[in-house]
Amino acid sequence: MTVVVDGSPLSIEQVVAVAHGVEDVVCGRDLAARMAPARALVEQVIADDETVYGITTGFGALANTRIPTARAGELQYDLLRSHAAGVGPLLDRPVVRAMLLCRARTLAQGYSGVRPDVVRFLVDMIANDIVPAVPSQGSVGASGDLAPFAHLALPLIGEGMVVTPEGAVASLPVLEAAGLAPLELEPKEGLSLLNGTEGMLAHGCLAVHRARVLADAADAACALSVEALLGSSRPFEPRIHDLRPHPGQITSAARIRRLLDGSPIGASHHDDFTHKVQDAYSLRCAPQVHGAVRDTITHAANVFTTELGAVVDNPIVFARDGDVVSGGNFHGQPLAFALDFLAIAITELGSISERRTDRLLDPERSGGLTPFLATEPGVSSGYMLTQSTAAAIVAENRVLSHPASVESIPTSGLQEDHVSMGWGAARKLDTVITNTSRVIAVELMCASQGVEQRPLPTAQGTAAVHDAVRSVCPPLVEDRPPGPDIERIADLIESGVLSEL
């Protein structure tokens, strides 16, 4: 498959595929025709020596500073250089590739007034896997992700750094090796390379994909825990969830029910109410909690999908009306809210998983499993400390779930007096997702050990989950450091293997 950049909306799946190098990218055949009217209007503004924000004026708090027409091109270079104020660890390659794609799509819409050459250069960078070195700190998510985009854009003029297997290096030699000559920026182009929400959006698209994978893994872990804890499959019956038809709840209940279908362990105590009248909430209410997470993911995906078809530049060039208008479509508030909400939801996915892990390890509540799943309790501690690890991570996630989107700090001499902090929301969401994959990994590891202590076999569905875990984590025969096993299972989760079961 090939993703075509012609100004049309993109899907989250396309962004994820390009980010990970699964799909190629090309420019649409009609790109130049689509972009020509807006570019012609910008050139007319220059020729008429009009006062238009970002074209013949300064930026932000300097918006009232008139720039001589003869220096309008020089202004664009200084803009990129001065705004490259990012610091901190570099962004991962998939995020940067996604940013390049989303930025190219925005400019290709024909409302920015830049030349097609700018879009072609961004696409060429993706095609040649030239990944700018973009620091992770520095955006407040208001006039777009300004600092990250400045670092993203510097290689277009042969400056800045790009990431190679040897580390970050100067961009110019890498461009030359790929046969790419630096662009000579013209009026409006530097500003259009910076304004927009595509940094937050790139993070969000990748986060939605990862969150969906986590929700599937949580359902799988829950099903395996139900068997290990001799839990009931009755709470997953369709007639229950048909009475409260939240889409995510119905989906999670169906997945858990399917994985447990035909379980010999479950059949052994299905009608034995002396065994247990009802299960704890972490088992019985899993569809309601996991499902609410799924619905939150869907909400965030809808927000990001809308943004993947939106014009978020400033000023916007309305070629048909002969007008260039300053607005606020670059403000990241819609994305910031969705990113924060998603972090809260994923944190809860880890929270309920940790409660099931604790139950698996507690001899008073595990239905006869050995204390901490140890082979020789007392001599061996088994998986005792894995619950501590999960608890520590959940506690960290709860701190990270504090919303960034309510923490506006004015910038640019009070011209930008309300900002979204969406970039910060995106960064901490990435950490929450990584953390939660480890929490669910702990549950999968413990549940796999638990079902092995039952005399009857698991269901066919949960057997596939168990086998997947055992492909990267052998049974616990004697105590060993569980950390490496947790990391391998977390990688298994992130690979999406459990979504296919």
Side-chain angles (χ1 to χ4, degrees), residues 442-454:
V442 171
E443 182 186 358
L444 283 165
M445 183 171 67
C446 292
S448 294
Q449 190 74 16
V451 294
E452 290 170 3
Q453 292 190 15
R454 300 303 181 189

Side-chain angles (χ1 to χ4, degrees), residues 37-342:
R39 184 61 202 170
L41 182 56
V42 169
E43 292 174 352
Q44 187 63 49
V45 166
I46 295 294
D48 294 344
D49 198 25
E50 296 182 25
T51 299
V52 178
Y53 173 73
I55 300 177
T56 55
T57 75
F59 307 97
L62 301 177
N64 294 324
T65 301
R66 186 66 162 81
I67 305 298
T69 301
R71 305 191 69 183
E74 176 187 345
L75 173 67
Q76 308 305 309
Y77 285 85
D78 285 346
L79 177 64
L80 297 190
R81 292 164 181 154
S82 65
H83 281 55
V87 295
L90 298 180
L91 296 178
D92 292 339
R93 295 175 67 88
V95 176
V96 180
R97 285 175 58 90
M99 289 171 65
L100 289 169
L101 174 64
C102 292
R103 184 90 290 233
R105 187 213 64 85
T106 292
L107 300 180
Q109 291 176 106
Y111 286 92
S112 295
V114 305
R115 294 168 298 154
D117 292 350
V118 178
V119 174
R120 293 190 186 103
F121 201 104
L122 292 168
V123 170
D124 284 342
M125 289 179 71
I126 299 171
N128 288 279
D129 199 26
I130 298 174
V131 179
V134 180
S136 58
Q137 294 174 292
S139 174
V140 294
S143 294
D145 297 308
L146 294 175
F149 272 130
H151 290 277
L152 190 84
L154 281 175
L156 275 73
I157 59 174
E159 300 181 16
M161 310 288 282
V162 296
V163 178
T164 70
E166 290 74 37
V169 301
S171 68
L172 186 57
V174 177
L175 295 175
E176 291 174 342
L180 298 177
L183 285 177
E184 294 186 9
L185 295 181
E186 296 188 3
K188 180 68 165 65
E189 292 181 339
L191 179 60
S192 287
L193 283 166
L194 300 189
N195 261 314
T197 60
E198 295 90 342
M200 293 170 271
L201 180 59
H203 276 284
C205 290
L206 294 173
V208 161
H209 173 73
R210 295 178 69 200
R212 287 169 173 162
V213 166
L214 274 189
D216 290 342
D219 288 343
C222 176
L224 200 59
S225 292
V226 166
E227 284 195 303
L229 290 166
L230 301 179
S232 173
S233 63
R234 289 179 180 270
F236 313 113
E237 292 180 4
R239 58 181 176 171
I240 294 174
H241 305 283
D242 289 345
L243 296 176
R244 195 191 193 196
H246 292 290
Q249 178 177 329
I250 290 174
T251 297
S252 280
R255 280 183 54 81
I256 297 170
R257 184 173 65 251
R258 179 175 55 78
L259 290 170
L260 289 170
D261 186 46
S263 169
I265 295 176
S268 70
H269 61 85
H270 185 269
D271 297 314
D272 183 6
F273 293 105
T274 61
H275 157 72
K276 191 188 301 180
V277 175
Q278 60 180 12
D279 292 322
Y281 283 10
S282 59
L283 299 174
R284 180 164 35 116
C285 301
Q288 288 79 5
V289 177
H290 294 191
V293 173
R294 287 185 179 277
D295 289 341
T296 303
I297 296 169
T298 297
H299 166 70
N302 289 338
V303 172
F304 303 148
T305 298
T306 297
E307 200 79 348
L308 285 169
V311 174
V312 292
D313 200 354
N314 184 60
I316 297 174
V317 182
F318 291 96
R320 182 179 299 177
D321 304 324
D323 205 2
V324 183
V325 183
S326 286
N329 279 1
F330 51 70
H331 199 290
Q333 204 71 59
L335 303 182
F337 285 158
L339 292 162
D340 275 338
F341 194 7
L342 200 49

Side-chain angles (χ1 to χ4, degrees), residues 210-222 252 256 282 285-294 297 341-357 394 397-398 401 432-433 435-441 443 493:
R210 295 178 69 200
R212 287 169 173 162
V213 166
L214 274 189
D216 290 342
D219 288 343
C222 176
S252 280
I256 297 170
S282 59
C285 301
Q288 288 79 5
V289 177
H290 294 191
V293 173
R294 287 185 179 277
I297 296 169
F341 194 7
L342 200 49
I344 291 169
I346 298 302
T347 292
E348 280 304 285
L349 202 63
S351 179
I352 194 170
S353 173
E354 183 275 331
R355 288 293 79 204
R356 293 191 294 263
T357 293
V394 168
N397 279 354
R398 288 172 180 167
S401 291
V432 165
I433 292 174
N435 284 350
T436 303
S437 69
R438 292 174 176 141
V439 175
I440 297 173
E443 182 186 358
I493 291 170

Side-chain angles (χ1 to χ4, degrees), residues 455-474:
L456 294 171
T458 63
Q460 184 176 350
T462 48
V465 176
H466 173 268
D467 290 346
V469 173
R470 285 290 172 249
S471 71
V472 297
C473 170

